[in-house]
Amino acid sequence: GSPWTVTGYGFGPGEEVGFMVGSQTAGTARADSNGNFVYETTMPVTPSGAQTLVAKGVSSGTTASAGYTVAEVYPGLALGTYAGAPGESITFIGSGYLPNEPIQILTDRTGAEAVHSFTADASGSFSNGGWLVPNDFAAGELSLTIKGLHSFTEKTIVYYVTGR
């Protein structure tokens, strides 16, 4: 999601140039009359580590590539409380996520479907208490997985559901 400028040369005059990162389309640009282009966009969402951007001329088939590295994200996570009865809210407190990153909450009792979603702020932090422990959850440990959808981070934290 960061601003990104891609420049290239050696393509056909006026040729459309497509960009790919892995199997993800990252956009298109049009080369000028000299076969050069400047493409301003936002960096595609990809996992941390080495990535390769490939530019390909649509009509000439000319390709060029450039490598770049997406930095690792080291988020911190806490809960406002670590135990409570069904019907009580859980406050998720986090920092170190990507700016404005979508966050999903999953539980070991509900499977792969998110039970709650919200967005980190512009500094990558959040304090969100919008999820209530369902009334039908029995007492015992509840594993909560917090997923950053742009940084691809997953952290699991345990909450204890108490009796009523």
Side-chain angles (χ1 to χ4, degrees), residues 28-164:
T28 60
R30 184 150 311 272
D32 64 18
S33 60
N34 296 316
N36 306 323
F37 65 83
V38 175
Y39 177 59
E40 294 184 4
T41 186
T42 56
M43 186 172 284
V45 175
T46 58
S48 61
Q51 302 293 331
T52 301
L53 170 72
V54 177
K56 182 175 183 179
V58 172
S59 56
S60 69
T62 299
T63 62
S65 63
Y68 65 97
T69 301
V70 176
E72 184 78 29
V73 175
Y74 298 99
L77 180 66
L79 299 176
T81 60
Y82 288 84
E88 292 183 14
S89 69
I90 297 177
T91 299
F92 300 93
I93 304 163
S95 62
Y97 288 80
L98 295 176
N100 305 307
E101 181 168 17
I103 307 292
Q104 286 186 340
I105 309 298
L106 299 93
T107 80
D108 61 340
R109 297 189 190 182
T110 56
E113 188 172 327
V115 296
H116 185 60
S117 299
F118 54 88
T119 302
D121 65 20
S123 69
S125 298
F126 54 83
S127 179
N128 182 282
W131 187 66
L132 302 177
V133 177
N135 286 323
D136 62 349
F137 275 20
E141 288 187 0
L142 172 63
S143 290
L144 301 163
T145 300
I146 294 77
K147 290 177 67 171
L149 298 185
H150 288 171
S151 62
F152 299 92
T153 58
E154 287 191 20
K155 289 185 127 334
T156 300
I157 197 163
V158 176
Y159 180 86
Y160 192 83
V161 179
T162 62
R164 293 187 187 263

